[in-house]
Amino acid sequence: MSPTTAAECLFCRIVAGEVPAAVVAETDRSVAFRDVSPQAPTHVLVVPRRHVANAADLAEASAEELSDVVALAGQVAVREGLAGAYRMVFNTGAGAGQTVFHAHLHVLGGRPLSWPPG
Ligand code: 5GP
Ligand code: ZN
């Protein structure tokens, strides 16, 4: 179960236009906007318009909406000049660093990305 309701969710408020964000791309199902605290020269978050807590819940709710998030992330990566060298990350759970409990895909690139991550 989501620990955050849609009414109090930061990313729902960004999707609704109630909280400003630097939107870089959108579809009828997803919105992509710049992370306010970038961890790489390009750091974009792609979120489904639907409020669900994490990627697995999104997959259960709608495979098409999960696919739309990933496809839009790929388009953003190309547009940002990252094709061939970027990372997509879904942090899932507080212990893995998730702080906003509305599913979001981090798209990171523009610098060397080590593996495994620290
Ligand atoms: P998480 O840690 O949950 O995987 O990622 C949440 C991300 O949301 C963080 O990278 C954080 O910098 C970003 N973030 C938090 N608040 C805001 C905000 O108000 N606007 C934007 N654009 N990003 C935010
Ligand atoms: Zn939400």
Side-chain angles (χ1 to χ4, degrees), residues 2-50:
S2 166
T4 308
T5 67
E8 66 191 8
C9 173
L10 172 64
F11 288 174
C12 281
R13 297 189 67 205
I14 287 177
V15 166
E18 295 168 7
V19 169
V23 173
V24 296
E26 55 189 319
T27 70
D28 59 343
R29 291 171 166 169
S30 311
V31 180
F33 54 90
R34 296 200 189 280
D35 196 296
V36 77
S37 178
Q39 303 302 310
T42 291
H43 188 172
V44 171
L45 303 173
V46 186
V47 307
R49 292 183 186 273
R50 178 200 294 266

Short mmCIF file of all heavy atoms in Angstrom, two decimals, residues 2-50:
data_model
loop_
_atom_site.label_atom_id
_atom_site.label_comp_id
_atom_site.label_asym_id
_atom_site.label_seq_id
_atom_site.Cartn_x
_atom_site.Cartn_y
_atom_site.Cartn_z
N SER A 2 0.42 2.26 -0.69
CA SER A 2 1.19 3.50 -0.74
C SER A 2 1.14 4.22 0.59
O SER A 2 0.07 4.41 1.16
CB SER A 2 0.61 4.41 -1.82
OG SER A 2 1.13 5.71 -1.67
N PRO A 3 2.31 4.65 1.13
CA PRO A 3 2.28 5.42 2.37
C PRO A 3 1.88 6.87 2.15
O PRO A 3 1.75 7.63 3.09
CB PRO A 3 3.73 5.32 2.87
CG PRO A 3 4.54 5.06 1.66
CD PRO A 3 3.65 4.37 0.67
N THR A 4 1.69 7.27 0.89
CA THR A 4 1.31 8.65 0.57
C THR A 4 0.03 8.61 -0.25
O THR A 4 -0.07 7.85 -1.21
CB THR A 4 2.41 9.32 -0.28
OG1 THR A 4 3.66 9.16 0.37
CG2 THR A 4 2.13 10.79 -0.49
N THR A 5 -0.94 9.43 0.11
CA THR A 5 -2.15 9.51 -0.71
C THR A 5 -1.90 10.48 -1.86
O THR A 5 -1.02 11.36 -1.79
CB THR A 5 -3.35 10.01 0.10
OG1 THR A 5 -3.12 11.37 0.46
CG2 THR A 5 -3.57 9.17 1.34
N ALA A 6 -2.68 10.33 -2.92
CA ALA A 6 -2.51 11.20 -4.08
C ALA A 6 -2.69 12.67 -3.68
O ALA A 6 -1.99 13.55 -4.18
CB ALA A 6 -3.51 10.81 -5.17
N ALA A 7 -3.60 12.93 -2.76
CA ALA A 7 -3.89 14.32 -2.38
C ALA A 7 -2.68 15.02 -1.77
O ALA A 7 -2.51 16.23 -1.94
CB ALA A 7 -5.06 14.35 -1.41
N GLU A 8 -1.84 14.26 -1.08
CA GLU A 8 -0.69 14.88 -0.41
C GLU A 8 0.62 14.60 -1.15
O GLU A 8 1.70 14.92 -0.64
CB GLU A 8 -0.59 14.37 1.03
CG GLU A 8 -0.25 12.88 1.11
CD GLU A 8 -0.39 12.29 2.50
OE1 GLU A 8 -0.89 12.97 3.41
OE2 GLU A 8 0.01 11.12 2.68
N CYS A 9 0.53 14.05 -2.37
CA CYS A 9 1.73 13.58 -3.07
C CYS A 9 2.38 14.71 -3.90
O CYS A 9 1.73 15.33 -4.74
CB CYS A 9 1.35 12.42 -3.99
SG CYS A 9 2.67 11.88 -5.06
N LEU A 10 3.67 14.92 -3.66
CA LEU A 10 4.40 15.97 -4.38
C LEU A 10 4.34 15.76 -5.89
O LEU A 10 4.10 16.71 -6.65
CB LEU A 10 5.86 15.97 -3.91
CG LEU A 10 6.81 16.88 -4.68
CD1 LEU A 10 6.41 18.34 -4.54
CD2 LEU A 10 8.25 16.65 -4.21
N PHE A 11 4.57 14.54 -6.36
CA PHE A 11 4.62 14.33 -7.81
C PHE A 11 3.23 14.41 -8.43
O PHE A 11 3.11 14.85 -9.59
CB PHE A 11 5.33 13.02 -8.14
CG PHE A 11 6.83 13.08 -7.90
CD1 PHE A 11 7.61 11.93 -8.04
CD2 PHE A 11 7.48 14.26 -7.54
CE1 PHE A 11 8.99 11.97 -7.82
CE2 PHE A 11 8.86 14.31 -7.31
CZ PHE A 11 9.62 13.16 -7.46
N CYS A 12 2.18 14.04 -7.71
CA CYS A 12 0.83 14.29 -8.22
C CYS A 12 0.61 15.79 -8.38
O CYS A 12 -0.02 16.23 -9.36
CB CYS A 12 -0.23 13.71 -7.29
SG CYS A 12 -0.46 11.93 -7.45
N ARG A 13 1.13 16.56 -7.46
CA ARG A 13 0.96 18.02 -7.54
C ARG A 13 1.76 18.59 -8.71
O ARG A 13 1.32 19.54 -9.37
CB ARG A 13 1.33 18.67 -6.21
CG ARG A 13 0.41 18.22 -5.07
CD ARG A 13 0.63 19.01 -3.80
NE ARG A 13 0.22 20.38 -3.98
CZ ARG A 13 0.71 21.41 -3.28
NH1 ARG A 13 1.62 21.21 -2.35
NH2 ARG A 13 0.26 22.63 -3.51
N ILE A 14 2.93 18.03 -9.00
CA ILE A 14 3.69 18.46 -10.17
C ILE A 14 2.94 18.08 -11.45
O ILE A 14 2.79 18.89 -12.37
CB ILE A 14 5.12 17.87 -10.15
CG1 ILE A 14 5.96 18.58 -9.06
CG2 ILE A 14 5.79 17.97 -11.52
CD1 ILE A 14 7.36 18.04 -8.87
N VAL A 15 2.43 16.86 -11.50
CA VAL A 15 1.66 16.41 -12.68
C VAL A 15 0.46 17.33 -12.90
O VAL A 15 0.13 17.68 -14.05
CB VAL A 15 1.21 14.94 -12.50
CG1 VAL A 15 0.14 14.56 -13.53
CG2 VAL A 15 2.41 13.99 -12.59
N ALA A 16 -0.17 17.76 -11.82
CA ALA A 16 -1.36 18.63 -11.92
C ALA A 16 -1.00 20.07 -12.21
O ALA A 16 -1.88 20.90 -12.43
CB ALA A 16 -2.16 18.53 -10.63
N GLY A 17 0.29 20.40 -12.16
CA GLY A 17 0.71 21.78 -12.40
C GLY A 17 0.58 22.67 -11.18
O GLY A 17 0.71 23.89 -11.27
N GLU A 18 0.35 22.06 -10.02
CA GLU A 18 0.17 22.85 -8.79
C GLU A 18 1.50 23.21 -8.15
O GLU A 18 1.59 24.15 -7.37
CB GLU A 18 -0.67 22.05 -7.79
CG GLU A 18 -2.09 21.80 -8.26
CD GLU A 18 -2.82 20.76 -7.42
OE1 GLU A 18 -2.28 20.32 -6.38
OE2 GLU A 18 -3.93 20.38 -7.83
N VAL A 19 2.53 22.41 -8.46
CA VAL A 19 3.90 22.69 -8.00
C VAL A 19 4.74 22.85 -9.25
O VAL A 19 4.67 22.00 -10.16
CB VAL A 19 4.44 21.54 -7.12
CG1 VAL A 19 5.94 21.69 -6.86
CG2 VAL A 19 3.68 21.47 -5.80
N PRO A 20 5.50 23.94 -9.37
CA PRO A 20 6.28 24.15 -10.59
C PRO A 20 7.40 23.13 -10.75
O PRO A 20 7.99 22.68 -9.76
CB PRO A 20 6.84 25.56 -10.43
CG PRO A 20 6.58 25.99 -9.03
CD PRO A 20 5.62 25.03 -8.40
N ALA A 21 7.67 22.78 -11.99
CA ALA A 21 8.79 21.89 -12.31
C ALA A 21 9.22 22.20 -13.74
O ALA A 21 8.43 22.71 -14.54
CB ALA A 21 8.36 20.43 -12.19
N ALA A 22 10.47 21.89 -14.04
CA ALA A 22 11.00 22.09 -15.39
C ALA A 22 10.64 20.86 -16.22
O ALA A 22 11.40 19.88 -16.30
CB ALA A 22 12.51 22.30 -15.33
N VAL A 23 9.47 20.91 -16.83
CA VAL A 23 8.98 19.77 -17.63
C VAL A 23 9.73 19.75 -18.96
O VAL A 23 9.84 20.77 -19.64
CB VAL A 23 7.46 19.88 -17.84
CG1 VAL A 23 6.96 18.81 -18.81
CG2 VAL A 23 6.73 19.79 -16.50
N VAL A 24 10.27 18.58 -19.32
CA VAL A 24 11.03 18.46 -20.57
C VAL A 24 10.27 17.66 -21.63
O VAL A 24 10.59 17.76 -22.81
CB VAL A 24 12.44 17.86 -20.34
CG1 VAL A 24 13.27 18.79 -19.47
CG2 VAL A 24 12.37 16.47 -19.73
N ALA A 25 9.31 16.86 -21.21
CA ALA A 25 8.54 16.06 -22.17
C ALA A 25 7.32 15.50 -21.45
O ALA A 25 7.33 15.36 -20.22
CB ALA A 25 9.38 14.91 -22.72
N GLU A 26 6.28 15.20 -22.22
CA GLU A 26 5.12 14.55 -21.62
C GLU A 26 4.32 13.79 -22.66
O GLU A 26 4.43 14.07 -23.86
CB GLU A 26 4.24 15.55 -20.86
CG GLU A 26 3.76 16.75 -21.64
CD GLU A 26 3.08 17.77 -20.71
OE1 GLU A 26 2.32 17.36 -19.81
OE2 GLU A 26 3.30 18.97 -20.90
N THR A 27 3.56 12.84 -22.17
CA THR A 27 2.60 12.11 -22.99
C THR A 27 1.27 12.16 -22.24
O THR A 27 1.18 12.74 -21.15
CB THR A 27 3.01 10.64 -23.20
OG1 THR A 27 2.87 9.95 -21.95
CG2 THR A 27 4.44 10.51 -23.71
N ASP A 28 0.27 11.49 -22.81
CA ASP A 28 -1.01 11.45 -22.08
C ASP A 28 -0.92 10.60 -20.83
O ASP A 28 -1.80 10.67 -19.97
CB ASP A 28 -2.13 10.96 -23.01
CG ASP A 28 -1.87 9.57 -23.58
OD1 ASP A 28 -0.71 9.10 -23.54
OD2 ASP A 28 -2.82 8.94 -24.06
N ARG A 29 0.16 9.82 -20.68
CA ARG A 29 0.28 8.93 -19.52
C ARG A 29 1.41 9.29 -18.56
O ARG A 29 1.40 8.84 -17.42
CB ARG A 29 0.52 7.50 -20.01
CG ARG A 29 -0.69 6.93 -20.70
CD ARG A 29 -0.37 5.62 -21.37
NE ARG A 29 -1.60 4.93 -21.74
CZ ARG A 29 -1.66 3.87 -22.53
NH1 ARG A 29 -0.56 3.37 -23.01
NH2 ARG A 29 -2.80 3.32 -22.82
N SER A 30 2.40 10.06 -19.03
CA SER A 30 3.63 10.29 -18.25
C SER A 30 4.10 11.73 -18.38
O SER A 30 3.80 12.40 -19.37
CB SER A 30 4.76 9.39 -18.76
OG SER A 30 4.36 8.05 -18.89
N VAL A 31 4.87 12.17 -17.38
CA VAL A 31 5.48 13.50 -17.41
C VAL A 31 6.96 13.35 -17.04
O VAL A 31 7.30 12.63 -16.09
CB VAL A 31 4.79 14.46 -16.42
CG1 VAL A 31 5.43 15.84 -16.47
CG2 VAL A 31 3.29 14.56 -16.70
N ALA A 32 7.83 14.06 -17.77
CA ALA A 32 9.27 14.06 -17.49
C ALA A 32 9.68 15.47 -17.09
O ALA A 32 9.36 16.44 -17.79
CB ALA A 32 10.04 13.62 -18.74
N PHE A 33 10.39 15.58 -15.97
CA PHE A 33 10.83 16.90 -15.50
C PHE A 33 12.19 16.77 -14.82
O PHE A 33 12.58 15.69 -14.37
CB PHE A 33 9.80 17.52 -14.55
CG PHE A 33 9.41 16.65 -13.37
CD1 PHE A 33 10.10 16.71 -12.17
CD2 PHE A 33 8.35 15.75 -13.47
CE1 PHE A 33 9.74 15.91 -11.09
CE2 PHE A 33 7.99 14.94 -12.39
CZ PHE A 33 8.68 15.03 -11.20
N ARG A 34 12.91 17.89 -14.76
CA ARG A 34 14.27 17.86 -14.20
C ARG A 34 14.22 17.69 -12.69
O ARG A 34 13.40 18.31 -12.01
CB ARG A 34 15.03 19.13 -14.58
CG ARG A 34 15.23 19.24 -16.07
CD ARG A 34 16.36 20.18 -16.47
NE ARG A 34 16.31 20.36 -17.91
CZ ARG A 34 16.78 19.49 -18.81
NH1 ARG A 34 17.39 18.39 -18.40
NH2 ARG A 34 16.66 19.71 -20.11
N ASP A 35 15.13 16.87 -12.18
CA ASP A 35 15.27 16.70 -10.73
C ASP A 35 15.78 18.00 -10.14
O ASP A 35 16.70 18.63 -10.67
CB ASP A 35 16.24 15.54 -10.43
CG ASP A 35 16.13 15.07 -9.00
OD1 ASP A 35 16.43 15.87 -8.08
OD2 ASP A 35 15.74 13.91 -8.79
N VAL A 36 15.19 18.42 -9.03
CA VAL A 36 15.55 19.69 -8.40
C VAL A 36 16.95 19.63 -7.78
O VAL A 36 17.57 20.66 -7.56
CB VAL A 36 14.47 20.08 -7.35
CG1 VAL A 36 14.61 19.27 -6.07
CG2 VAL A 36 14.48 21.57 -7.08
N SER A 37 17.44 18.43 -7.54
CA SER A 37 18.77 18.25 -6.94
C SER A 37 19.57 17.26 -7.79
O SER A 37 19.78 16.10 -7.41
CB SER A 37 18.61 17.72 -5.51
OG SER A 37 19.85 17.49 -4.91
N PRO A 38 20.03 17.72 -8.97
CA PRO A 38 20.60 16.77 -9.94
C PRO A 38 21.88 16.09 -9.46
O PRO A 38 22.75 16.73 -8.89
CB PRO A 38 20.87 17.65 -11.17
CG PRO A 38 20.87 19.06 -10.68
CD PRO A 38 19.99 19.09 -9.46
N GLN A 39 21.95 14.79 -9.72
CA GLN A 39 23.12 13.99 -9.36
C GLN A 39 24.03 13.74 -10.56
O GLN A 39 25.03 13.02 -10.45
CB GLN A 39 22.66 12.64 -8.77
CG GLN A 39 21.75 12.79 -7.57
CD GLN A 39 22.40 13.58 -6.43
OE1 GLN A 39 23.52 13.28 -6.03
NE2 GLN A 39 21.72 14.60 -5.94
N ALA A 40 23.71 14.35 -11.69
CA ALA A 40 24.51 14.23 -12.91
C ALA A 40 24.13 15.42 -13.79
O ALA A 40 23.09 16.06 -13.56
CB ALA A 40 24.18 12.91 -13.62
N PRO A 41 24.93 15.74 -14.81
CA PRO A 41 24.60 16.88 -15.68
C PRO A 41 23.18 16.79 -16.25
O PRO A 41 22.50 17.80 -16.37
CB PRO A 41 25.67 16.81 -16.76
CG PRO A 41 26.85 16.21 -16.05
CD PRO A 41 26.25 15.18 -15.12
N THR A 42 22.76 15.60 -16.64
CA THR A 42 21.35 15.38 -16.95
C THR A 42 20.76 14.47 -15.88
O THR A 42 21.29 13.38 -15.62
CB THR A 42 21.17 14.71 -18.33
OG1 THR A 42 21.55 15.63 -19.36
CG2 THR A 42 19.72 14.30 -18.55
N HIS A 43 19.71 14.95 -15.24
CA HIS A 43 18.99 14.14 -14.24
C HIS A 43 17.51 14.50 -14.36
O HIS A 43 17.06 15.54 -13.88
CB HIS A 43 19.51 14.43 -12.83
CG HIS A 43 18.94 13.51 -11.77
ND1 HIS A 43 19.41 13.50 -10.48
CD2 HIS A 43 17.95 12.57 -11.83
CE1 HIS A 43 18.72 12.60 -9.78
NE2 HIS A 43 17.83 12.03 -10.58
N VAL A 44 16.80 13.62 -15.03
CA VAL A 44 15.37 13.82 -15.30
C VAL A 44 14.60 12.71 -14.59
O VAL A 44 15.06 11.57 -14.51
CB VAL A 44 15.12 13.81 -16.83
CG1 VAL A 44 13.63 13.79 -17.15
CG2 VAL A 44 15.79 15.02 -17.49
N LEU A 45 13.43 13.07 -14.08
CA LEU A 45 12.51 12.09 -13.48
C LEU A 45 11.33 11.90 -14.42
O LEU A 45 10.77 12.90 -14.91
CB LEU A 45 11.99 12.60 -12.13
CG LEU A 45 13.05 12.93 -11.09
CD1 LEU A 45 12.41 13.59 -9.86
CD2 LEU A 45 13.83 11.69 -10.67
N VAL A 46 10.99 10.66 -14.69
CA VAL A 46 9.80 10.37 -15.51
C VAL A 46 8.79 9.68 -14.61
O VAL A 46 9.10 8.66 -13.98
CB VAL A 46 10.14 9.49 -16.72
CG1 VAL A 46 8.91 9.34 -17.62
CG2 VAL A 46 11.31 10.08 -17.51
N VAL A 47 7.60 10.27 -14.52
CA VAL A 47 6.58 9.75 -13.61
C VAL A 47 5.31 9.42 -14.40
O VAL A 47 4.96 10.13 -15.35
CB VAL A 47 6.25 10.76 -12.49
CG1 VAL A 47 7.51 11.21 -11.77
CG2 VAL A 47 5.47 11.96 -12.99
N PRO A 48 4.60 8.38 -13.97
CA PRO A 48 3.26 8.15 -14.53
C PRO A 48 2.31 9.20 -13.97
O PRO A 48 2.49 9.67 -12.84
CB PRO A 48 2.90 6.75 -14.02
CG PRO A 48 3.66 6.63 -12.72
CD PRO A 48 4.94 7.42 -12.91
N ARG A 49 1.30 9.58 -14.75
CA ARG A 49 0.30 10.50 -14.21
C ARG A 49 -0.50 9.84 -13.09
O ARG A 49 -0.94 10.50 -12.16
CB ARG A 49 -0.65 10.95 -15.33
CG ARG A 49 0.05 11.84 -16.37
CD ARG A 49 -0.90 12.33 -17.44
NE ARG A 49 -0.18 13.04 -18.49
CZ ARG A 49 0.13 14.35 -18.46
NH1 ARG A 49 -0.23 15.09 -17.43
NH2 ARG A 49 0.79 14.90 -19.45
N ARG A 50 -0.63 8.51 -13.16
CA ARG A 50 -1.35 7.74 -12.14
C ARG A 50 -0.54 7.71 -10.84
O ARG A 50 0.68 7.50 -10.87
CB ARG A 50 -1.54 6.32 -12.65
CG ARG A 50 -2.22 5.38 -11.67
CD ARG A 50 -1.93 3.94 -12.04
NE ARG A 50 -2.53 3.54 -13.31
CZ ARG A 50 -3.72 2.93 -13.42
NH1 ARG A 50 -4.42 2.65 -12.36
NH2 ARG A 50 -4.18 2.57 -14.61
#
